[in-house]
């Protein structure tokens, strides 16, 4: 063993022997034991063991439990044969009363000789990465043991070093290995789920990843849940409360290359923070970066219950640029939302709306709304300028559908309206609540242009861009400002005198960090459609005149704008029932299931339905609101009768969302 030249070629068992002999070349285990899992190690008093095991179960991403030992057990046959936890880690940390007091190369001084026997029947079954057939349980015998380790329990927790080999196999650069450095680890502002005496912040590792490899790195790491699984954050470290990437709390700073994106995984060093906060009289851990090398392969076998569901393999999508934020959603959920997007692209009015289509605008809008906490929704297209009220039946139903789903998901929702329509919209909201179309009343607000900073002061407390009141704005079938500053209906009639300058808010939002926008339209003259204005000008009737000049971050196009609102509500439901997306939102913390049966029922009951939308359309007609294309005061939207056109569309969207075998769709 003294002649070892290439550590990378050695097995975990061979490397453990070298570590046991204090081999000088092993200072960190990053890049070693290719093909095998590595483990974080925590040794705690037996009296705290049950609390810590519960803490692990409730925080599965940072603390994937491979094995819990018996009191005083120094071997760990289920994870590594012929191993000795007292000697097989390159460097240990010693804690007294929650303070790191020293680092040492062996725990033997804390242990007297302990005789261990294998019992024929296990007395304490443990959650572990290996099957029951592979497990061997131990029981300490004898009553004359007085060493500290004799009354302590060792926990073996998965480590992200366990997936670095697979990243290299996939051709993904692993910057810390390339640079010969320990991984960067950071204490975050995200609190773990507390259990017993254990309560601490989440610790994460960070790896710079080229943007073009994000989907690949997510897929590879998702397949290894024992090594923390998929990332818990991709993008700006400040969103985790990390101030400077150049100053990690543990490990080494890793250099970025042009085009790299910071990607964060939950980290087992969270267990160290748990020791520091719980303050046991004595505890031990591995030194961060000096892991225990296991014999567990880094690819779970098909029969192992830890094998991830490939349908839940996440895809990575950018949500915002400032601050930089990506989100994850499973391939299955993304596929359904993409099908929703195709369904609403039907064009029975033959406006040519498919010319404006761009894939994943709906998905990106839903992801941004899923990450939002406070949403302002605006609608209102006074196309019937000769009538009172001048509004049309397209827009309000879609706005209410989005609002009620957001409310059921716990978001704050505000309705932004024209000053001329405040009383009408207030009455519509009250009626929608009374008839069960809207989950709860929502506040109505108006915006007036009172000077250069009016929009900034409306969107942000005291005009401070760091204190936005809303983090997402939605415009659905809302009159949009054209290049000449006017507002036009599809006939080319200027209706500017009926429209408040809400466009200014969407323009101001472009320069406020963390505020994103969605525009939903069916003709190109709606607020937010400035994102596709060149297509509108060249492909839509009167496009040069009517095209909206104000862009939204996401431009959702539909045959009827209401359909876009229904699709957003359905997309939000799919995201909140997607385990991959919910895990990402929760940073891998908390227990399954993601939602209670009561929550699921509440979400389903707040999806759009044929019954609710028919009731609300009747309300609009009763208020004198007319069909957009024909001006008829009838049960139609854009000249299309509710039955069968709109009712069929709602049914199709629900079938895609809930599945064709779903019994009793909401209120249908």
């Amino acid at each position: 063993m003294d002649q070892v030249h290439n550590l990378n070629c050695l097995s975990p068992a061979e490397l453990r022997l070298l570590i046991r002999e204090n081999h000088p070349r092993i200072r960190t285990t990053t890049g070693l034991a290719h093909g095998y899992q590595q483990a974080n190690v925590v040794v705690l008093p037996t009296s705290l063991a049950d609390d810590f095991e519960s803490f692990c179960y409730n925080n599965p991403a940072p603390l994937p439990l491979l094995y819990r030992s018996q009191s005083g057990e120094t071997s760990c046959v289920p994870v590594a044969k012929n191993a000795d936890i007292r000697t097989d880690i390159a460097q240990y940390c010693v804690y007294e009363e929650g303070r790191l007091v020293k680092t040492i190369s062996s725990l033997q001084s804390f242990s007297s000789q302990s005789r261990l026997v294998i019992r024929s029947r296990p007395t304490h079954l443990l959650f572990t990465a290996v099957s029951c057939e592979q497990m061997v349980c131990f029981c300490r015998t004898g009553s004359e043991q007085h060493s500290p380790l004799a009354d302590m329990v060792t926990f073996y927790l998965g480590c992200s070093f366990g997936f670095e080999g697979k990243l290299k196999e996939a051709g993904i650069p692993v910057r810390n290995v390339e640079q010969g450095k320990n991984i960067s680890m950071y204490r975050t502002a995200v609190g773990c789920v507390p259990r017993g005496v254990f309560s601490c912040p989440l610790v994460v590792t960070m790896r710079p990843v080229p943007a073009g490899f994000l989907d690949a790195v997510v897929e590879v790491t998702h397949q290894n849940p024992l090594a923390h699984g998929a990332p818990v954050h991709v993008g700006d470290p400040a969103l985790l409360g990390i101030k400077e990437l150049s100053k990690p709390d543990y490990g080494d700073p890793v250099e970025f290359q042009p085009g790299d994106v910071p990607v964060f995984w939950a980290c087992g060093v969270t267990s160290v923070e748990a020791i520091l906060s719980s303050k046991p009289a004595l505890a031990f851990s591995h030194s961060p970066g000096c892991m225990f090398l296991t014999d567990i392969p880094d690819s779970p076998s098909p029969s192992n219950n830890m094998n991830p569901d490939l349908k839940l393999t996440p895809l990575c999508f950018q949500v915002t640029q400032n601050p930089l934020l990506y989100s994850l959603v499973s391939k299955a959920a993304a596929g359904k939302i993409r099908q929703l997007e195709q369904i609403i692209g039907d064009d029975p009015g033959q406006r040519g709306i498919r010319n404006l289509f761009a894939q994943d605008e709906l998905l990106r809008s839903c992801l941004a709304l899923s990450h939002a906490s406070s949403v302002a929704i605006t609608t209102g297209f006074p196309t019937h300028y000769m009538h009172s009220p001048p509004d049309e039946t397209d827009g309000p139903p879609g706005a209410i559908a989005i609002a009620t789903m957001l409310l059921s998901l716990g978001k704050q929702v505000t309705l932004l309206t024209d000053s001329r329509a405040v009383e009408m919209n207030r009455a519509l909201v009250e009626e929608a609540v009374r008839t069960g179309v809207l989950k709860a009343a929502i506040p109505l607000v108006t915006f007036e242009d009172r000077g250069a900073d009016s929009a900034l002061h409306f969107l942000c407390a005291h005009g401070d861009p760091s204190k936005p009141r809303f983090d997402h704005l939605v415009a659905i079938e809302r009159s949009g400002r054209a290049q000449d500053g006017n507002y036009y209906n599809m006939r080319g009639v200027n209706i500017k005198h009926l429209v408040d300058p809400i466009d200014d808010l969407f323009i101001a939002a472009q320069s406020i960090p963390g505020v994103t926008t969605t525009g939903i339209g069916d003709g190109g003259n709606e607020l937010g459609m400035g994102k596709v204005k060149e297509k509108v000008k060249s492909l839509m009737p009167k496009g040069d005149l009517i095209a909206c000049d104000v862009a939204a971050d996401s431009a959702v196009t539909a045959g009827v704008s209401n359909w876009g609102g229904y699709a957003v509500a359905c997309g939000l439901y799919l995201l909140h029932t997607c385990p991959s997306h919910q895990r990402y939102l929760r940073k891998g913390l908390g227990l399954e299931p993601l939602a209670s049966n009561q929550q699921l029922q509440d979400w389903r009951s707040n999806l759009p339905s044929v019954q609710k939308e028919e009731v609300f359309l009747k309300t609009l007609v009763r208020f004198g609101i007319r069909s957009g294309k024909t001006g008829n005061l009838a049960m139609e939207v854009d000249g299309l009768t509710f039955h069968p056109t709109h009712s069929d569309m709602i049914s199709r969207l629900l079938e895609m969302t809930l599945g064709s075998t779903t019994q009793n769709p909401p209120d249908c």
Side-chain angles (χ1 to χ4, degrees), residues 351 393 627-632 636-642 645-646:
R351 290 185 176 183
T393 52
S627 174
K629 189 173 183 179
T630 64
N632 292 336
E636 64 178 52
V637 180
D638 282 349
L640 305 168
T641 57
F642 185 79
T645 305
H646 299 287

Side-chain angles (χ1 to χ4, degrees), residues 51-367:
D51 277 357
F52 188 75
E53 184 173 353
S54 177
F55 187 64
C56 293
Y57 288 156
N58 282 272
N59 297 281
L63 305 171
L65 184 54
L66 305 181
Y67 182 62
R68 168 185 166 171
S69 79
Q70 292 281 337
S71 294
E73 180 186 351
T74 57
S75 61
C76 52
V77 174
V79 294
K81 295 180 180 179
N82 302 315
D84 188 332
I85 196 56
R86 298 169 298 180
T87 57
D88 292 358
I89 292 177
Q91 188 175 73
Y92 301 82
C93 294
V94 182
Y95 306 89
E96 295 177 359
E97 306 295 342
R99 294 180 299 106
L100 174 63
V101 293
K102 61 182 175 180
T103 58
I104 55 178
S105 60
S106 170
L107 296 182
Q108 285 182 311
S109 62
F110 292 89
S111 173
S112 63
Q113 288 297 319
S114 301
R115 185 167 61 90
L116 296 173
V117 298
I118 302 177
R119 285 190 168 180
S120 59
R121 295 178 59 192
T123 58
H124 185 54
L125 291 177
L126 311 172
F127 174 86
T128 178
V130 296
S131 66
C132 291
E133 289 77 13
Q134 293 172 289
M135 286 188 61
V136 180
C137 293
F138 292 85
C139 178
R140 178 167 51 87
T141 63
S143 59
E144 66 287 344
Q145 302 195 36
H146 305 292
S147 68
L149 284 177
D151 293 315
M152 302 186 82
V153 172
T154 303
F155 290 86
Y156 300 80
L157 308 161
C159 170
S160 62
F161 287 176
F163 61 57
E164 289 183 338
K166 291 297 184 184
L167 294 180
K168 293 173 70 176
E169 285 181 15
I172 301 167
V174 183
R175 300 296 188 208
N176 54 297
V177 176
E178 290 177 347
Q179 297 168 24
K181 294 182 176 180
N182 193 0
I183 193 67
S184 302
M185 292 162 271
Y186 304 87
R187 187 182 299 111
T188 73
V190 179
C192 290
V193 177
R195 279 297 179 269
V197 299
F198 296 102
S199 176
C200 69
L202 172 69
V203 175
V204 294
T205 58
M206 187 282 299
R207 291 167 177 81
V209 176
F213 283 100
L214 288 176
D215 275 337
V217 82
V218 167
E219 180 168 355
V220 168
T221 57
H222 165 76
Q223 294 173 5
N224 196 340
L226 298 180
H228 306 298
V232 296
H233 179 66
V234 181
D236 190 340
L239 296 175
L240 292 176
I242 299 170
K243 294 181 179 179
E244 292 188 54
L245 287 180
S246 61
K247 296 180 179 180
D249 296 294
Y250 304 93
D252 301 324
V254 178
E255 297 175 9
F256 280 68
Q257 299 299 319
D260 283 352
V261 173
V263 181
F264 299 86
W265 282 265
C267 177
V269 175
T270 300
S271 60
V272 172
E273 292 291 321
I275 292 174
L276 298 178
S277 64
S278 60
K279 297 179 173 57
L282 179 67
F284 309 100
S285 78
H286 69 289
S287 182
C290 301
M291 318 309 297
F292 178 78
L293 304 177
T294 80
D295 296 335
I296 302 172
D298 61 7
S299 298
S301 65
S303 62
N304 195 304
N305 61 6
M306 294 298 289
N307 201 26
D309 186 343
L310 295 182
K311 292 180 182 178
L312 300 181
T313 298
L315 297 171
C316 188
F317 292 89
Q318 185 172 340
V319 177
T320 63
Q321 179 60 40
N322 182 25
L324 184 63
L325 174 64
Y326 290 78
S327 191
L328 303 188
V329 58
S330 72
K331 291 181 178 180
K336 283 195 170 188
I337 294 174
R338 284 168 170 165
Q339 290 181 69
L340 293 174
E341 190 171 53
Q342 288 292 330
I343 291 171
I344 64 173
D346 281 5
D347 190 10
Q350 298 183 336
R351 290 185 176 183
I353 194 64
R354 283 201 178 273
N355 293 323
L356 308 183
F357 173 80
Q359 182 174 293
D360 291 336
E361 293 295 298
L362 175 62
L363 178 54
R364 294 179 193 279
S365 171
C366 291
L367 286 169

Side-chain angles (χ1 to χ4, degrees), residues 1 3-12 14-15 18-19 23-28 30-34 293:
M1 287 293 188
Q3 304 300 318
V4 171
H5 295 292
N6 190 354
L7 297 175
N8 295 328
C9 296
L10 299 182
S11 70
E14 291 170 324
L15 288 164
L18 288 179
I19 291 170
H23 196 285
R25 289 180 57 197
I26 302 180
R27 298 190 177 186
T28 176
T30 182
L32 299 182
H34 175 60
L293 304 177

